[in-house]
């Protein structure tokens, strides 16, 4: 019934968050991190390349992995436009099997929260550990469901051109305190000259973890020297994004 990270979701993401678009200071923060890497970096859940493309343009040695062929196709398009050669892999993180090891793995912004079950989260972290060189760094963000309210619904219209637009509706369905996840229904409609030409329905699940809980999970998997940073170190008091930095 549902499709995650499909064609319309990719088109809308790329339109509303184009290459180099900053979300709450994430790009600036992650650029500083990847600049400090002494070897190859992997972006997990690379999406359209919003971050990877500008990083590659700055000479960062980086590769990307994602399970959405639509997202990767868009990312490849942006790389081709700029004549950048970057290796992209189509894989699910929970079964990650790449031919290399990395100095740094990053999973910025909300992407890690998209792993919908605890089992997938544990498999993905274990795979990250396996793909990091000794002393390599894992940097990822967690989100907390502070603003989630069951029943909330919002609709936005994005005009892609004079004749074409996407209407996006998000409805907050459920917060499961035991499983620690929220579920939203995302509905995309593409309209051309007044006719609806395409729709897409996504069950958008976000998982969260407590700070101490997540530190223990990382340690159990074998990560060390875990550091936690709020809001990309901006001291904004928003307490919206929680970044974990851990060593393999
Ligand atoms: C919100 S987008 C973020 C893209 C990019 N990192 C950015 O910051 O703009 C999340 C991406 O994670 C990918 N993703 C979600 N679950 C995944 C999984 N299990 N394995 C690989 N990629 C996944 C989605 O396909 C999507 O492209």
């Amino acid at each position: 019934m549902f499709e995650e990270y499909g064609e319309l979701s990719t088109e809308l993401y790329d339109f509303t968050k184009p290459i180099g678009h900053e979300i709450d200071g994430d790009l600036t923060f992650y650029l500083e991190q990847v600049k400090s890497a002494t070897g190859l970096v992997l972006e997990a859940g690379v999406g359209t390349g919003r971050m990877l493309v500008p990083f590659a343009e700055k000479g960062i040695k980086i590769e990307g992995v994602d399970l959405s062929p639509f997202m990767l196709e868009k990312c490849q398009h942006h790389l081709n436009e700029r004549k950048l050669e970057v290796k992209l892999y189509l894989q699910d993180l929970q079964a990650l099997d790449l031919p290399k090891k990395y100095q740094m793995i990053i999973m910025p912004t909300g992407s890690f929260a998209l792993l919908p079950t605890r089992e997938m989260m544990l498999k993905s972290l274990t795979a990250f550990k396996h793909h990091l060189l000794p002393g390599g760094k894992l940097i990822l963000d967690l989100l907390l469901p502070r603003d989630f309210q069951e029943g909330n619904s919002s609709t936005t219209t994005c005009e892609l051109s004079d004749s074409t637009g996407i209407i996006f509706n998000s409805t907050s369905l459920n917060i499961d305190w035991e499983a620690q996840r929220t579920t939203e229904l995302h509905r995309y409609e593409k309209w051309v000259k007044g006719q609806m030409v395409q729709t897409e329905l996504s069950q958008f699940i976000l998982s969260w973890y407590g700070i101490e809980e997540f530190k223990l999970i990382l340690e159990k998997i074998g990560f060390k020297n875990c550091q936690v940073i709020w809001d990309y170190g901006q001291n904004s008091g928003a307490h919206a994004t929680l970044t974990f930095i851990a060593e393999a």
Side-chain angles (χ1 to χ4, degrees):
M1 179 170 171
F2 302 108
E3 182 177 32
E4 308 308 322
Y5 327 110
E7 196 173 355
L8 293 190
S9 137
T10 300
E11 198 170 353
L12 191 67
Y13 193 89
D14 198 44
F15 186 76
T16 55
K17 301 176 190 77
I19 298 303
H21 177 84
E22 181 108 50
I23 304 173
D24 300 331
D26 62 349
L27 211 124
T28 304
F29 174 85
Y30 273 94
L31 178 59
E32 283 312 303
Q33 301 300 324
V34 296
K35 273 175 27 190
S36 74
T38 50
L40 193 57
V41 178
L42 177 71
E43 183 178 354
V46 63
T48 56
R50 176 180 68 93
M51 269 196 196
L52 173 135
V53 171
F55 290 177
E57 273 178 319
K58 287 189 163 55
I60 306 293
K61 290 194 200 102
I62 189 163
E63 300 188 338
V65 58
D66 203 289
L67 54 45
S68 162
F70 298 104
M71 290 280 183
L72 281 187
E73 194 183 319
K74 190 62 91 179
C75 186
Q76 189 61 60
H77 166 79
H78 291 306
L79 290 167
N80 293 348
E81 268 187 341
R82 293 160 179 81
K83 299 192 170 32
L84 291 167
E85 279 196 27
V86 172
K87 187 90 188 128
L88 300 177
Y89 301 93
L90 178 67
Q91 281 194 22
D92 189 331
L93 296 175
Q94 60 174 325
L96 194 66
D97 185 14
L98 301 180
K100 294 175 196 165
K101 299 227 181 210
Y102 297 85
Q103 195 62 48
M104 186 179 279
I105 298 181
I106 60 170
M107 195 159 183
T109 326
S111 306
F112 189 77
L114 292 169
L115 299 170
T117 66
R118 194 159 277 261
E119 190 192 356
M120 284 172 78
M121 176 272 289
L122 291 172
K123 282 184 176 170
S124 303
L125 286 178
T126 306
F128 291 162
K129 173 80 172 56
H130 179 73
H131 283 80
L132 278 167
L133 291 162
K137 274 190 190 168
L138 172 66
I139 310 182
L140 58 78
D141 299 339
L142 298 186
L143 302 175
L144 296 176
R146 287 188 194 281
D147 300 327
F148 188 91
Q149 284 212 320
E150 279 178 6
N152 269 7
S153 179
S154 67
T155 302
T156 45
T157 303
C158 287
E159 284 185 39
L160 306 178
S161 71
D162 283 349
S163 61
T164 306
I166 293 179
I167 297 178
F168 170 66
N169 175 265
S170 167
T171 303
S172 300
L173 294 183
N174 166 261
I175 185 159
D176 184 333
W177 291 101
E178 286 178 24
Q180 295 176 208
R181 61 179 173 238
T182 57
T183 304
E184 293 169 28
L185 188 70
H186 286 180
R187 185 186 163 100
Y188 302 81
E189 291 175 357
K190 187 168 188 179
W191 293 77
V192 179
K193 293 184 181 163
Q195 305 291 315
M196 193 169 69
V197 295
Q198 198 175 350
T199 60
E200 202 170 285
L201 201 58
S202 143
Q203 192 184 38
F204 188 76
I205 295 174
L206 292 176
S207 301
W208 80 87
Y209 307 94
I211 298 179
E212 292 308 318
E213 175 193 10
F214 201 67
K215 271 190 197 165
L216 288 173
I217 290 171
L218 287 171
E219 282 166 11
K220 195 167 176 206
I221 288 171
F223 287 98
K224 332 176 267 241
N225 300 331
C226 193
Q227 236 186 296
V228 180
I229 297 169
W230 278 108
D231 303 321
Y232 305 120
Q234 291 169 345
N235 290 327
S236 62
H239 283 199
T241 310
L242 194 54
T243 303
F244 280 77
I245 304 184
E247 256 175 54

